[in-house]
Amino acid sequence: EAGVAQSPRYKIIEKRQSVAFWCNPISGHATLYWYQQILGQGPKLLIQFQNNGVVDDSQLPKDRFSAERLKGVDSTLKIQPAKLEDSAVYLCASSLGRNQPQHFGDGTRLSIL
Amino acid sequence: AQTVTQSQPEMSVQEAETVTLSCTYDTSESDYYLFWYKQPPSRQMILVIRQEAYKQQNATENRFSVNFQKAAKSFSLKISDSQLGDAAMYFCAYRSLFQGAQKLVFGQGTRLTINP
């Protein structure tokens, strides 16, 4: 089966600009996650979707970050405006449902100049 | 809130030897999952092994096994017959069983180097 697809693979922007990341989960996976992984740290959950609905966005900086999941399939994560501390790898993961293993994409490495 | 701690930022081992990576966690829950993930330079997180807290038997996947000590809240990973392809960052992770609380809580990671 095809894995979790993410794009772009790399992105370089200047602070205060906006950026968007795209994720296509494994077909049939109802649950989708976005994680932020700062260099030298483990990933941290930003937002979790169950189909179209948000299950957990408690650690999402809502003043600058937004995310949506269209028709319960693809998802986009947006940052506007970007800050230097947003430099990180953004990982998307999906799972069939609760208590099922999460499958990760290759991530997008974001660098803020 | 749950926390996961990996006290070894870096480890190295000779090819074909055995290495153990340490992980401790803190939780007030009685049922949960624990995981070890491998992250090579390609950045994809790859599931290595999974342990359900209600199972007393330690999980094993080929050359990978865990030592799960629930009372001590310890979850170490043993890699036997280390291979060059095992070189990567290894992350220990916790996941609650409660409805909706499906996020993975990760430790800081351990960088494993395999010496030929």
Side-chain angles (χ1 to χ4, degrees):
Chain A
E1 66 180 2
V4 176
Q6 289 189 246
S7 68
R9 187 133 171 86
Y10 301 92
K11 189 72 178 180
I12 301 173
I13 62 172
E14 295 184 348
K15 60 183 179 183
R16 290 188 291 274
Q17 287 188 326
S18 62
V19 65
F21 313 125
W22 173 82
C23 173
N24 180 240
I26 294 173
S27 178
H29 281 198
T31 312
L32 186 147
Y33 313 79
W34 283 101
Y35 290 87
Q36 179 193 56
Q37 185 178 17
I38 293 173
L39 185 65
Q41 300 181 17
K44 179 187 76 173
L45 181 73
L46 291 175
I47 189 166
Q48 175 189 337
F49 292 95
Q50 181 70 25
N51 296 310
N52 288 353
V54 175
V55 175
D56 184 354
D57 64 355
S58 58
Q59 298 188 92
L60 185 74
K62 298 180 184 65
D63 58 334
R64 298 182 300 105
F65 285 65
S66 65
E68 61 179 1
R69 189 176 185 193
L70 303 173
K71 300 180 181 178
V73 181
D74 292 5
S75 178
T76 55
L77 176 69
K78 297 179 181 178
I79 308 175
Q80 182 179 10
K83 291 186 174 181
L84 292 175
E85 62 258 35
D86 298 333
S87 293
V89 173
Y90 290 84
L91 294 164
C92 180
S94 70
S95 66
L96 270 174
R98 67 186 300 263
N99 299 331
Q100 298 298 314
Q102 295 182 24
H103 300 263
F104 285 81
D106 289 342
T108 296
R109 182 179 297 279
L110 174 66
S111 298
I112 313 292
L113 303 179
Chain B
Q2 296 84 17
T3 59
V4 177
T5 302
Q6 293 177 250
S7 59
Q8 306 155 316
E10 296 183 359
M11 292 282 285
S12 64
V13 64
Q14 291 296 125
E15 191 177 4
E17 293 189 347
T18 296
V19 64
T20 299
L21 308 184
S22 301
C23 172
T24 58
Y25 58 94
D26 187 32
T27 183
S28 59
E29 299 173 340
S30 58
D31 287 322
Y32 44 86
Y33 289 107
L34 294 166
F35 304 84
W36 279 98
Y37 279 87
K38 170 185 177 181
Q39 187 178 42
S42 66
R43 299 198 303 257
Q44 187 181 37
M45 299 289 279
I46 302 166
L47 179 63
V48 174
I49 200 164
R50 166 172 118 159
Q51 175 81 41
E52 290 91 344
Y54 62 86
K55 290 186 177 179
Q56 293 185 337
Q57 186 173 6
N58 289 325
T60 299
E61 288 287 341
N62 300 313
R63 297 182 295 107
F64 299 87
S65 61
V66 299
N67 183 5
F68 173 48
Q69 301 289 328
K70 190 173 183 179
K73 296 181 182 175
S74 170
F75 183 60
S76 61
L77 174 69
K78 185 172 81 171
I79 306 174
S80 303
D81 185 25
S82 298
Q83 300 175 0
L84 294 177
D86 294 334
M89 285 291 293
Y90 285 81
F91 290 94
C92 178
Y94 173 102
R95 194 177 81 196
S96 172
L97 277 178
F98 288 104
Q99 180 72 27
Q102 298 163 37
K103 69 180 180 185
L104 290 166
V105 178
F106 288 89
Q108 305 92 318
T110 296
R111 182 176 302 281
L112 179 63
T113 302
I114 311 296
N115 300 314

